[in-house]
Amino acid sequence: PPAALTSSCSFLVWVLISTKFKRLIKYIDNIFKMDKYLQILKEKEIAVIEDSHFSRLHLKDIFDRYKIKSVRYFESGTELAESKKIYDIYLVDLVLQDEFGKNIIAELREKSDESLIFAVTSLNNPNLLADVIDSGADDIIIKPIEEKIFIAKLKSFVRKLQ
C-alpha cells in the first residue's frame, strides 16, 4: 500500500485509541469523584427520626453497606431535641406517632440553614410534598427507599455543598 495510506491509517488508529483512552480516563475520574463524595458523606453526622423499627433497620442496613457510621437514630422529634445536637444531615419521617415530620423539619431549619434535611415518606400528595419542601426540607425520599437512588441523592447534595 502507498505510504500516504499507511500513514493515514496509523493516524486514524492513533485517534481512535486516543479518544477511547480519554473516555476511559474521564470514566475513572468520575468514579474517584463519586468515591470522594461518599468519603465526605461518611464524615457527616446524620440523624434519623423514624418511629418504625423496620424502617430504622432498613436504613441501618443501607448505611452499614456503605460503611457510613456516624448515624444516630431517634424515634421522635422530642427525643432528637433532648439530644441538643446539631447534625449535618437529617432524615425525618413525615408520619410519626403524635408528631408531624413537617413541623420537625420547620424547627430544624430554623436552627440551622446549613444542615441538609430530607423528608422521608410513602405519601405522594403533591400539595403536601410541596408544603414540606416549603417548610425547609431540601428534598423528599420516597418509601420504600431505593438504596442506590438514596445514596446518590445524599452524595449529590454533599457535592453541591463543596
Side-chain angles (χ1 to χ4, degrees), residues 50-70:
E50 173 63 72
D51 60 352
S52 163
H53 181 70
F54 174 77
S55 293
R56 283 194 313 271
L57 285 178
H58 181 59
L59 283 166
K60 185 177 182 332
D61 286 345
I62 293 172
F63 287 132
D64 286 349
R65 267 192 290 285
Y66 288 87
K67 296 178 176 42
I68 299 170
K69 304 292 184 195
S70 299

PDB file of all heavy atoms in Angstrom, residues 50-70:
ATOM      1  N   GLU A  50     -37.257   8.429  62.956  1.00  0.00           N
ATOM      2  CA  GLU A  50     -38.121   7.398  62.374  1.00  0.00           C
ATOM      3  C   GLU A  50     -38.673   6.535  63.499  1.00  0.00           C
ATOM      4  O   GLU A  50     -37.898   5.978  64.279  1.00  0.00           O
ATOM      5  CB  GLU A  50     -37.302   6.556  61.390  1.00  0.00           C
ATOM      6  CG  GLU A  50     -37.984   5.344  60.829  1.00  0.00           C
ATOM      7  CD  GLU A  50     -39.210   5.666  60.009  1.00  0.00           C
ATOM      8  OE1 GLU A  50     -39.074   6.188  58.893  1.00  0.00           O
ATOM      9  OE2 GLU A  50     -40.329   5.381  60.497  1.00  0.00           O
ATOM     10  N   ASP A  51     -39.988   6.418  63.586  1.00  0.00           N
ATOM     11  CA  ASP A  51     -40.579   5.628  64.671  1.00  0.00           C
ATOM     12  C   ASP A  51     -40.816   4.165  64.299  1.00  0.00           C
ATOM     13  O   ASP A  51     -41.097   3.344  65.162  1.00  0.00           O
ATOM     14  CB  ASP A  51     -41.865   6.274  65.194  1.00  0.00           C
ATOM     15  CG  ASP A  51     -42.944   6.415  64.137  1.00  0.00           C
ATOM     16  OD1 ASP A  51     -42.668   6.164  62.948  1.00  0.00           O
ATOM     17  OD2 ASP A  51     -44.066   6.797  64.502  1.00  0.00           O
ATOM     18  N   SER A  52     -40.653   3.815  63.036  1.00  0.00           N
ATOM     19  CA  SER A  52     -40.835   2.430  62.603  1.00  0.00           C
ATOM     20  C   SER A  52     -39.530   1.655  62.777  1.00  0.00           C
ATOM     21  O   SER A  52     -38.510   1.998  62.172  1.00  0.00           O
ATOM     22  CB  SER A  52     -41.273   2.379  61.146  1.00  0.00           C
ATOM     23  OG  SER A  52     -41.071   1.087  60.610  1.00  0.00           O
ATOM     24  N   HIS A  53     -39.583   0.617  63.591  1.00  0.00           N
ATOM     25  CA  HIS A  53     -38.399  -0.217  63.822  1.00  0.00           C
ATOM     26  C   HIS A  53     -37.893  -0.805  62.509  1.00  0.00           C
ATOM     27  O   HIS A  53     -36.680  -0.809  62.233  1.00  0.00           O
ATOM     28  CB  HIS A  53     -38.733  -1.323  64.830  1.00  0.00           C
ATOM     29  CG  HIS A  53     -37.574  -2.205  65.155  1.00  0.00           C
ATOM     30  ND1 HIS A  53     -36.490  -1.764  65.886  1.00  0.00           N
ATOM     31  CD2 HIS A  53     -37.313  -3.503  64.827  1.00  0.00           C
ATOM     32  CE1 HIS A  53     -35.608  -2.754  65.999  1.00  0.00           C
ATOM     33  NE2 HIS A  53     -36.090  -3.809  65.366  1.00  0.00           N
ATOM     34  N   PHE A  54     -38.817  -1.291  61.674  1.00  0.00           N
ATOM     35  CA  PHE A  54     -38.448  -1.881  60.389  1.00  0.00           C
ATOM     36  C   PHE A  54     -37.722  -0.857  59.502  1.00  0.00           C
ATOM     37  O   PHE A  54     -36.683  -1.162  58.918  1.00  0.00           O
ATOM     38  CB  PHE A  54     -39.689  -2.414  59.661  1.00  0.00           C
ATOM     39  CG  PHE A  54     -39.393  -2.911  58.279  1.00  0.00           C
ATOM     40  CD1 PHE A  54     -38.787  -4.141  58.084  1.00  0.00           C
ATOM     41  CD2 PHE A  54     -39.694  -2.130  57.166  1.00  0.00           C
ATOM     42  CE1 PHE A  54     -38.487  -4.593  56.802  1.00  0.00           C
ATOM     43  CE2 PHE A  54     -39.398  -2.568  55.889  1.00  0.00           C
ATOM     44  CZ  PHE A  54     -38.793  -3.809  55.704  1.00  0.00           C
ATOM     45  N   SER A  55     -38.240   0.366  59.425  1.00  0.00           N
ATOM     46  CA  SER A  55     -37.610   1.402  58.592  1.00  0.00           C
ATOM     47  C   SER A  55     -36.233   1.785  59.121  1.00  0.00           C
ATOM     48  O   SER A  55     -35.296   2.014  58.339  1.00  0.00           O
ATOM     49  CB  SER A  55     -38.500   2.643  58.516  1.00  0.00           C
ATOM     50  OG  SER A  55     -39.672   2.348  57.800  1.00  0.00           O
ATOM     51  N   ARG A  56     -36.092   1.841  60.440  1.00  0.00           N
ATOM     52  CA  ARG A  56     -34.777   2.137  61.023  1.00  0.00           C
ATOM     53  C   ARG A  56     -33.772   1.037  60.664  1.00  0.00           C
ATOM     54  O   ARG A  56     -32.627   1.322  60.300  1.00  0.00           O
ATOM     55  CB  ARG A  56     -34.868   2.298  62.544  1.00  0.00           C
ATOM     56  CG  ARG A  56     -35.433   3.625  62.996  1.00  0.00           C
ATOM     57  CD  ARG A  56     -35.210   3.893  64.472  1.00  0.00           C
ATOM     58  NE  ARG A  56     -35.548   2.792  65.349  1.00  0.00           N
ATOM     59  CZ  ARG A  56     -36.757   2.580  65.889  1.00  0.00           C
ATOM     60  NH1 ARG A  56     -37.747   3.416  65.639  1.00  0.00           N
ATOM     61  NH2 ARG A  56     -36.962   1.554  66.671  1.00  0.00           N
ATOM     62  N   LEU A  57     -34.204  -0.209  60.757  1.00  0.00           N
ATOM     63  CA  LEU A  57     -33.316  -1.329  60.404  1.00  0.00           C
ATOM     64  C   LEU A  57     -32.926  -1.281  58.928  1.00  0.00           C
ATOM     65  O   LEU A  57     -31.767  -1.550  58.577  1.00  0.00           O
ATOM     66  CB  LEU A  57     -33.980  -2.669  60.722  1.00  0.00           C
ATOM     67  CG  LEU A  57     -34.041  -3.058  62.191  1.00  0.00           C
ATOM     68  CD1 LEU A  57     -34.777  -4.382  62.362  1.00  0.00           C
ATOM     69  CD2 LEU A  57     -32.646  -3.154  62.788  1.00  0.00           C
ATOM     70  N   HIS A  58     -33.893  -0.948  58.076  1.00  0.00           N
ATOM     71  CA  HIS A  58     -33.617  -0.860  56.644  1.00  0.00           C
ATOM     72  C   HIS A  58     -32.558   0.221  56.370  1.00  0.00           C
ATOM     73  O   HIS A  58     -31.588  -0.014  55.635  1.00  0.00           O
ATOM     74  CB  HIS A  58     -34.913  -0.554  55.884  1.00  0.00           C
ATOM     75  CG  HIS A  58     -34.743  -0.464  54.403  1.00  0.00           C
ATOM     76  ND1 HIS A  58     -34.255  -1.493  53.635  1.00  0.00           N
ATOM     77  CD2 HIS A  58     -34.990   0.555  53.547  1.00  0.00           C
ATOM     78  CE1 HIS A  58     -34.205  -1.119  52.366  1.00  0.00           C
ATOM     79  NE2 HIS A  58     -34.644   0.130  52.286  1.00  0.00           N
ATOM     80  N   LEU A  59     -32.727   1.394  56.976  1.00  0.00           N
ATOM     81  CA  LEU A  59     -31.743   2.471  56.810  1.00  0.00           C
ATOM     82  C   LEU A  59     -30.386   2.062  57.383  1.00  0.00           C
ATOM     83  O   LEU A  59     -29.338   2.327  56.774  1.00  0.00           O
ATOM     84  CB  LEU A  59     -32.234   3.753  57.472  1.00  0.00           C
ATOM     85  CG  LEU A  59     -33.302   4.510  56.696  1.00  0.00           C
ATOM     86  CD1 LEU A  59     -33.957   5.564  57.570  1.00  0.00           C
ATOM     87  CD2 LEU A  59     -32.712   5.129  55.446  1.00  0.00           C
ATOM     88  N   LYS A  60     -30.395   1.416  58.540  1.00  0.00           N
ATOM     89  CA  LYS A  60     -29.141   0.970  59.155  1.00  0.00           C
ATOM     90  C   LYS A  60     -28.410   0.001  58.227  1.00  0.00           C
ATOM     91  O   LYS A  60     -27.191   0.101  58.063  1.00  0.00           O
ATOM     92  CB  LYS A  60     -29.407   0.322  60.504  1.00  0.00           C
ATOM     93  CG  LYS A  60     -28.131  -0.057  61.241  1.00  0.00           C
ATOM     94  CD  LYS A  60     -28.413  -0.623  62.610  1.00  0.00           C
ATOM     95  CE  LYS A  60     -27.179  -0.971  63.383  1.00  0.00           C
ATOM     96  NZ  LYS A  60     -25.987  -1.324  62.668  1.00  0.00           N
ATOM     97  N   ASP A  61     -29.151  -0.913  57.604  1.00  0.00           N
ATOM     98  CA  ASP A  61     -28.538  -1.854  56.656  1.00  0.00           C
ATOM     99  C   ASP A  61     -27.885  -1.118  55.486  1.00  0.00           C
ATOM    100  O   ASP A  61     -26.774  -1.451  55.070  1.00  0.00           O
ATOM    101  CB  ASP A  61     -29.572  -2.850  56.124  1.00  0.00           C
ATOM    102  CG  ASP A  61     -29.961  -3.901  57.140  1.00  0.00           C
ATOM    103  OD1 ASP A  61     -29.250  -4.056  58.152  1.00  0.00           O
ATOM    104  OD2 ASP A  61     -30.998  -4.564  56.929  1.00  0.00           O
ATOM    105  N   ILE A  62     -28.594  -0.117  54.960  1.00  0.00           N
ATOM    106  CA  ILE A  62     -28.035   0.658  53.842  1.00  0.00           C
ATOM    107  C   ILE A  62     -26.769   1.374  54.285  1.00  0.00           C
ATOM    108  O   ILE A  62     -25.728   1.294  53.623  1.00  0.00           O
ATOM    109  CB  ILE A  62     -29.065   1.665  53.299  1.00  0.00           C
ATOM    110  CG1 ILE A  62     -30.235   0.924  52.632  1.00  0.00           C
ATOM    111  CG2 ILE A  62     -28.406   2.629  52.305  1.00  0.00           C
ATOM    112  CD1 ILE A  62     -31.401   1.824  52.244  1.00  0.00           C
ATOM    113  N   PHE A  63     -26.838   2.078  55.408  1.00  0.00           N
ATOM    114  CA  PHE A  63     -25.668   2.811  55.892  1.00  0.00           C
ATOM    115  C   PHE A  63     -24.502   1.863  56.172  1.00  0.00           C
ATOM    116  O   PHE A  63     -23.348   2.175  55.864  1.00  0.00           O
ATOM    117  CB  PHE A  63     -26.006   3.638  57.133  1.00  0.00           C
ATOM    118  CG  PHE A  63     -26.841   4.857  56.836  1.00  0.00           C
ATOM    119  CD1 PHE A  63     -27.964   5.141  57.589  1.00  0.00           C
ATOM    120  CD2 PHE A  63     -26.496   5.737  55.818  1.00  0.00           C
ATOM    121  CE1 PHE A  63     -28.727   6.268  57.334  1.00  0.00           C
ATOM    122  CE2 PHE A  63     -27.254   6.866  55.547  1.00  0.00           C
ATOM    123  CZ  PHE A  63     -28.366   7.130  56.310  1.00  0.00           C
ATOM    124  N   ASP A  64     -24.792   0.696  56.736  1.00  0.00           N
ATOM    125  CA  ASP A  64     -23.730  -0.280  57.014  1.00  0.00           C
ATOM    126  C   ASP A  64     -23.064  -0.763  55.728  1.00  0.00           C
ATOM    127  O   ASP A  64     -21.841  -0.919  55.677  1.00  0.00           O
ATOM    128  CB  ASP A  64     -24.280  -1.475  57.793  1.00  0.00           C
ATOM    129  CG  ASP A  64     -24.561  -1.156  59.250  1.00  0.00           C
ATOM    130  OD1 ASP A  64     -24.149  -0.075  59.725  1.00  0.00           O
ATOM    131  OD2 ASP A  64     -25.214  -1.987  59.917  1.00  0.00           O
ATOM    132  N   ARG A  65     -23.861  -1.003  54.676  1.00  0.00           N
ATOM    133  CA  ARG A  65     -23.292  -1.463  53.403  1.00  0.00           C
ATOM    134  C   ARG A  65     -22.317  -0.436  52.820  1.00  0.00           C
ATOM    135  O   ARG A  65     -21.347  -0.805  52.156  1.00  0.00           O
ATOM    136  CB  ARG A  65     -24.401  -1.759  52.389  1.00  0.00           C
ATOM    137  CG  ARG A  65     -24.828  -3.205  52.394  1.00  0.00           C
ATOM    138  CD  ARG A  65     -25.690  -3.550  51.206  1.00  0.00           C
ATOM    139  NE  ARG A  65     -27.015  -2.961  51.250  1.00  0.00           N
ATOM    140  CZ  ARG A  65     -28.019  -3.370  52.017  1.00  0.00           C
ATOM    141  NH1 ARG A  65     -27.845  -4.387  52.830  1.00  0.00           N
ATOM    142  NH2 ARG A  65     -29.190  -2.796  51.967  1.00  0.00           N
ATOM    143  N   TYR A  66     -22.584   0.835  53.052  1.00  0.00           N
ATOM    144  CA  TYR A  66     -21.718   1.891  52.537  1.00  0.00           C
ATOM    145  C   TYR A  66     -20.708   2.377  53.581  1.00  0.00           C
ATOM    146  O   TYR A  66     -20.012   3.355  53.362  1.00  0.00           O
ATOM    147  CB  TYR A  66     -22.561   3.063  52.013  1.00  0.00           C
ATOM    148  CG  TYR A  66     -23.253   2.716  50.716  1.00  0.00           C
ATOM    149  CD1 TYR A  66     -24.491   2.088  50.708  1.00  0.00           C
ATOM    150  CD2 TYR A  66     -22.643   2.991  49.493  1.00  0.00           C
ATOM    151  CE1 TYR A  66     -25.121   1.749  49.525  1.00  0.00           C
ATOM    152  CE2 TYR A  66     -23.264   2.657  48.296  1.00  0.00           C
ATOM    153  CZ  TYR A  66     -24.497   2.032  48.325  1.00  0.00           C
ATOM    154  OH  TYR A  66     -25.113   1.694  47.143  1.00  0.00           O
ATOM    155  N   LYS A  67     -20.675   1.673  54.713  1.00  0.00           N
ATOM    156  CA  LYS A  67     -19.737   1.978  55.808  1.00  0.00           C
ATOM    157  C   LYS A  67     -19.881   3.411  56.325  1.00  0.00           C
ATOM    158  O   LYS A  67     -18.901   4.075  56.647  1.00  0.00           O
ATOM    159  CB  LYS A  67     -18.307   1.674  55.380  1.00  0.00           C
ATOM    160  CG  LYS A  67     -18.084   0.197  55.095  1.00  0.00           C
ATOM    161  CD  LYS A  67     -16.683  -0.079  54.627  1.00  0.00           C
ATOM    162  CE  LYS A  67     -16.366  -1.521  54.415  1.00  0.00           C
ATOM    163  NZ  LYS A  67     -17.306  -2.368  53.782  1.00  0.00           N
ATOM    164  N   ILE A  68     -21.137   3.876  56.375  1.00  0.00           N
ATOM    165  CA  ILE A  68     -21.464   5.186  56.933  1.00  0.00           C
ATOM    166  C   ILE A  68     -21.830   4.949  58.390  1.00  0.00           C
ATOM    167  O   ILE A  68     -22.854   4.344  58.691  1.00  0.00           O
ATOM    168  CB  ILE A  68     -22.620   5.855  56.148  1.00  0.00           C
ATOM    169  CG1 ILE A  68     -22.187   6.058  54.695  1.00  0.00           C
ATOM    170  CG2 ILE A  68     -23.028   7.166  56.799  1.00  0.00           C
ATOM    171  CD1 ILE A  68     -23.309   6.490  53.770  1.00  0.00           C
ATOM    172  N   LYS A  69     -20.970   5.389  59.294  1.00  0.00           N
ATOM    173  CA  LYS A  69     -21.084   5.023  60.704  1.00  0.00           C
ATOM    174  C   LYS A  69     -21.627   6.120  61.614  1.00  0.00           C
ATOM    175  O   LYS A  69     -22.112   5.834  62.701  1.00  0.00           O
ATOM    176  CB  LYS A  69     -19.710   4.585  61.241  1.00  0.00           C
ATOM    177  CG  LYS A  69     -19.081   3.452  60.467  1.00  0.00           C
ATOM    178  CD  LYS A  69     -19.839   2.176  60.634  1.00  0.00           C
ATOM    179  CE  LYS A  69     -19.122   1.038  59.918  1.00  0.00           C
ATOM    180  NZ  LYS A  69     -19.954  -0.116  59.741  1.00  0.00           N
ATOM    181  N   SER A  70     -21.523   7.377  61.223  1.00  0.00           N
ATOM    182  CA  SER A  70     -21.907   8.485  62.112  1.00  0.00           C
ATOM    183  C   SER A  70     -23.405   8.774  62.021  1.00  0.00           C
ATOM    184  O   SER A  70     -23.810   9.875  61.665  1.00  0.00           O
ATOM    185  CB  SER A  70     -21.110   9.741  61.760  1.00  0.00           C
ATOM    186  OG  SER A  70     -19.744   9.503  61.937  1.00  0.00           O
TER     187      SER A  70
END
